[in-house]
Amino acid sequence: MRVIITGAGGFIGRLLVEQLQRAGTLRGSPIQKLILLDFKLHGFAADSRLRLHEGDITDATLLRRTLADGADVVFHLAGLLESAAEKQYAQGRKINLMASLELLDQLRNREKPPIVVFASSVSVYGPDLPARVDEHVALKPHTSYGAHKLMIETHLIDLTRRNELDGRSLRFPELVARPGASNDFAGSCVSNLIRAVTESSRYVCPLSPSAKAWCMSARRCVENLVHAAELVTSEALRCWQLPVLQVTVGEVFEALIEEFGEARRSLISFEVGAEPEGSPIRSSLLRAPTAKALGFMHDGTVQLLIRNALNLPSRPRRTRANHS
């Protein structure tokens, strides 16, 4: 089993590498090579299965070198984050769209189509959503990032139809607790809130406690990525909205105070009304029955979201949140 991970040096990529190293197998077969691609790769535990390819994913020659030995499963996680991609259109297009198209083109194989698990995003939905969002809602992205994600989803569906790849796209919500998150998009504020309370640092949250976000812990995200790669399905349309936990900022804050103590409450203040660009997506209730039926999962409760995000042992809690 040869596994490739693009964006392996990133927030989710590192956790996925660690998970696969621990498991040692994927789809019932031993992992013989774990091939990592990112601009910088450092700090990984010594492992004879690792093959490191450092460089720019937009370099087609680097991609050919990385894929030279072939692949059975590819996790395509590399990308420029939404806020940066919106501010730097040319760079976002180059990384999120053109490099992804080149990667998929180089992976095409009719004799043995590799499984490609693509990290897409809820940004494909856009603003002005109905009160209840399900897996059949119209897709109307309003950022370049969301548009590029949708383009790659569509291309992957077509290559799967042609039996050249075995594509599986997962639409991720905000993943917490992302380090160094900006305040440009609503869900990122949840990551910043978690980090601030955990590290006992001051933070002015640009959202009211009643503001809502769609969230998933990094740990649960990795579990869903592995599940997507191992899933046996005959569905032609292999693009799934992951189940999400819909939480309010206030629920997250109170759960953090319960976890870390009242002394940290005074570190956080809320600047009501200064809401970031990504705010329209928060208020809708998202349901993903198809993905749930296939075994994809959210974190369950706001307390488990926090504990999973911080890699703490799980324990029973009382507070509940709306979730799909």
Side-chain angles (χ1 to χ4, degrees), residues 254-277:
E254 292 303 325
L256 285 164
I257 296 303
E258 183 178 357
E259 187 69 49
F260 292 100
E262 283 290 332
R264 304 192 189 187
R265 184 180 294 276
S266 61
L267 296 171
I268 308 300
S269 58
F270 299 92
E271 194 174 278
V272 179
E275 298 193 353
E277 184 178 349

Side-chain angles (χ1 to χ4, degrees), residues 100-223:
S100 296
L101 291 173
E102 178 66 26
L103 173 67
L104 297 183
D105 189 56
Q106 291 195 27
L107 283 169
R108 290 165 56 198
N109 186 336
R110 285 187 178 275
E111 293 184 6
K112 188 181 179 183
I115 290 172
V116 179
V117 181
F118 171 56
S120 188
S121 168
V122 294
S123 294
V124 299
Y125 296 122
D128 303 321
L129 293 170
R132 182 186 178 94
V133 175
D134 61 22
E135 295 157 319
H136 305 292
V137 71
L139 305 179
K140 299 177 181 179
H142 78 130
T143 63
S144 299
Y145 176 87
H148 294 156
K149 289 291 187 183
L150 181 54
M151 291 176 197
I152 299 304
E153 282 186 12
T154 304
H155 188 49
L156 194 50
I157 289 170
D158 187 49
L159 292 177
T160 301
R161 176 191 64 82
R162 294 173 56 85
N163 198 36
E164 296 181 354
L165 296 176
D166 182 345
R168 292 112 190 270
S169 296
L170 303 181
R171 291 174 185 156
F172 290 138
E174 175 62 25
L175 302 176
V176 297
R178 186 182 296 278
S182 70
N183 274 337
D184 292 344
F185 287 79
S188 300
C189 300
V190 176
S191 283
N192 290 332
L193 178 62
I194 293 173
R195 291 286 181 194
V197 175
T198 303
E199 298 166 4
S200 292
S201 59
R202 295 193 177 278
Y203 175 55
V204 179
C205 179
L207 299 175
S208 71
S210 62
K212 297 176 181 178
W214 295 344
C215 294
M216 177 178 290
S217 71
R219 179 193 294 182
R220 185 67 75 216
C221 172
V222 167
E223 291 171 354

Side-chain angles (χ1 to χ4, degrees), residues 50-105:
L50 289 184
R51 303 289 187 274
L52 308 184
H53 294 269
E54 287 191 340
D56 191 338
I57 194 173
T58 65
D59 183 346
T61 301
L62 173 63
L63 284 178
R64 279 191 289 273
R65 188 163 62 247
T66 303
L67 305 179
D69 293 331
D72 299 298
V73 176
V74 178
F75 294 95
H76 182 32
L77 311 180
L80 189 64
L81 293 178
E82 186 161 16
S83 57
E86 194 63 15
K87 293 174 182 175
Q88 306 169 49
Y89 171 77
Q91 188 71 356
R93 179 179 181 275
K94 186 178 179 182
I95 295 173
N96 295 338
L97 180 59
M98 303 310 295
S100 296
L101 291 173
E102 178 66 26
L103 173 67
L104 297 183
D105 189 56

Side-chain angles (χ1 to χ4, degrees), residues 10 22 37 40-41 44 83 95 103 117 125 140 165 181 184 219 236 249 265 279 282 285 301 304-305 320:
R22 285 193 299 269
L37 171 62
K40 289 185 179 180
L41 295 166
F44 293 98
S83 57
I95 295 173
L103 173 67
V117 181
Y125 296 122
K140 299 177 181 179
L165 296 176
D184 292 344
R219 179 193 294 182
V249 172
R265 184 180 294 276
S279 60
R282 299 188 318 274
L285 187 63
T301 67
L304 288 174
L305 171 75
R320 301 180 64 188

